[in-house]
Amino acid sequence: MTMTVSPESAARMACRASGLPDRSLVPLHHHATSVFLVAAEDVVVRVSPISQQRNLATAVSLTRWLVASGFPATEPADVPQPVTYEPYAVTFWRHYPQPARGRPPVGRLGDLLRALHSLSAPPVTLPQYQPLSSLRAVVESSTCLGPDVRTWLMERRQELLNAYSGLEFPLGYGHIHGDAYPGNTLWDVQGIRLGDWDEAAVGPREIDLANTFQGVRFGRTSAELDDFSLRYGYDVREWPGLPVLVGMRDLHTLGSFIRRADRGDMAAAGQLSYRIETLRNMDDQAKWDSA
């Protein structure tokens, strides 16, 4: 009989293997990655698909270098990682308790990205940025998508990739976070940190800016975008390639909802259906639920 390993059981086994007590393990949230807190050690445990193992190892090495270089990245715990338990890979991070006042202001991400992009190249081999690389496999393996939707998603993906291949990037290429948006910023006693480095890569700098502008779907205001642009030192809205990157981000966000819907998450299935409907109707003003 094959035993199914759940994200929580993988987190507990990884804790024990790393010398951390698992009795105080509590769930924090579950989306593309399952996140737990080892309260007794103030350590966050992130349980990701094992297909991300190489990216996770890169993220740990990169953030250790960033922290040592004085950049406020979220800091990995001082234990060997990642730890794998099929079908998961587990990493450990310092916990940053968040105050009740909510996320850091959107503009502060502009400060962080300006500082990140100004650093010298890291002594870590980063992958080349591959737009929408994971979406094909997610769509093709999905059990919840109908044939018509599956065909439309693949056609839209290719349309955006064709447009992307013809873009010129005025900010040039270099190390990028890859998933930079205000939801990945955290308060720290000394300021604000940038987390979730699983998609770090070498690519066009504009990738790190476009995600914040895609956030108008979640209620981001013009004033917030103005502040973000001012703090970064460049307004990507003046660049004609922004709609292509925003469209890519729209598709990218569907991946975790497809996986959740495949597991029977009805709320995720409903949000997925709504997002696809608005995309097919070319409704750029539709507001999406971030949960």
Side-chain angles (χ1 to χ4, degrees):
M1 182 176 69
T2 302
M3 181 172 57
T4 301
V5 176
S6 68
E8 181 174 346
S9 61
R12 291 188 182 280
M13 289 187 290
C15 284
R16 291 193 290 268
S18 301
L20 297 172
D22 67 320
R23 289 189 301 276
S24 62
L25 188 76
V26 294
L28 293 181
H29 67 82
H30 178 73
H31 196 54
T33 297
S34 297
V35 183
F36 303 86
L37 172 65
V38 182
E41 299 291 329
D42 218 22
V43 168
V44 168
V45 185
R46 302 182 76 240
V47 183
S48 307
I50 199 168
S51 60
Q52 296 296 309
Q53 181 180 356
R54 179 175 295 181
N55 288 352
L56 296 173
T58 298
V60 170
S61 298
L62 176 63
T63 49
R64 284 178 174 155
W65 174 79
L66 287 169
V67 171
S69 300
F71 181 84
T74 47
E75 187 171 359
D78 189 19
V79 296
Q81 52 177 316
V83 178
T84 59
Y85 291 98
E86 290 277 4
Y88 302 111
V90 182
T91 53
F92 304 91
W93 302 83
R94 179 182 166 192
H95 180 223
Y96 301 94
Q98 296 301 287
R101 64 181 183 269
R103 292 280 186 182
V106 170
R108 297 293 294 275
L109 177 59
D111 293 327
L112 291 172
L113 291 176
R114 186 185 70 249
L116 176 67
H117 294 171
S118 298
L119 291 173
S120 59
V124 178
T125 300
L126 299 177
Q128 293 295 314
Y129 175 71
Q130 299 291 333
L132 299 175
S133 60
S134 62
L135 185 67
R136 175 188 288 277
V138 172
V139 170
E140 289 179 345
S141 65
S142 173
T143 57
C144 74
L145 297 175
D148 177 61
V149 171
R150 196 188 310 270
T151 298
W152 183 85
L153 286 171
M154 288 295 92
E155 290 178 348
R156 178 57 176 160
R157 173 183 178 272
Q158 191 58 53
E159 177 186 357
L160 288 166
L161 290 178
N162 291 342
Y164 175 83
S165 67
L167 295 179
E168 295 183 2
F169 298 97
L171 297 179
Y173 289 74
H175 55 272
I176 60 174
H177 180 280
D179 190 28
Y181 74 106
N184 278 338
T185 59
L186 296 169
W187 292 105
D188 185 16
V189 290
Q190 297 177 339
I192 295 172
R193 290 183 180 263
L194 181 56
D196 286 5
W197 294 83
D198 303 357
E199 297 182 39
V202 173
R205 304 292 195 180
E206 286 84 355
I207 294 295
D208 275 351
L209 307 184
N211 297 347
T212 293
F213 291 84
Q214 189 260 354
V216 297
R217 290 199 180 276
F218 307 103
R220 199 150 297 140
T221 67
S222 295
E224 289 174 322
L225 298 177
D226 289 344
D227 189 35
F228 171 87
S229 300
L230 180 65
R231 288 172 179 268
Y232 183 80
Y234 175 77
D235 193 338
V236 75
R237 288 171 292 190
E238 299 175 358
W239 175 60
L242 178 60
V244 175
L245 300 193
V246 169
M248 286 165 44
R249 180 68 177 182
D250 281 341
L251 282 196
H252 177 78
T253 67
L254 301 181
S256 62
F257 285 89
I258 294 172
R259 287 188 288 266
R260 288 170 58 192
D262 283 343
R263 295 195 297 266
D265 185 330
M266 298 306 297
Q271 178 62 197
L272 173 65
S273 177
Y274 173 70
R275 290 190 183 194
I276 292 174
E277 178 185 1
T278 59
L279 290 175
R280 296 186 75 170
N281 291 335
M282 305 295 287
D283 187 351
D284 295 335
Q285 304 303 312
K287 295 297 185 285
W288 291 355
D289 186 346
S290 59

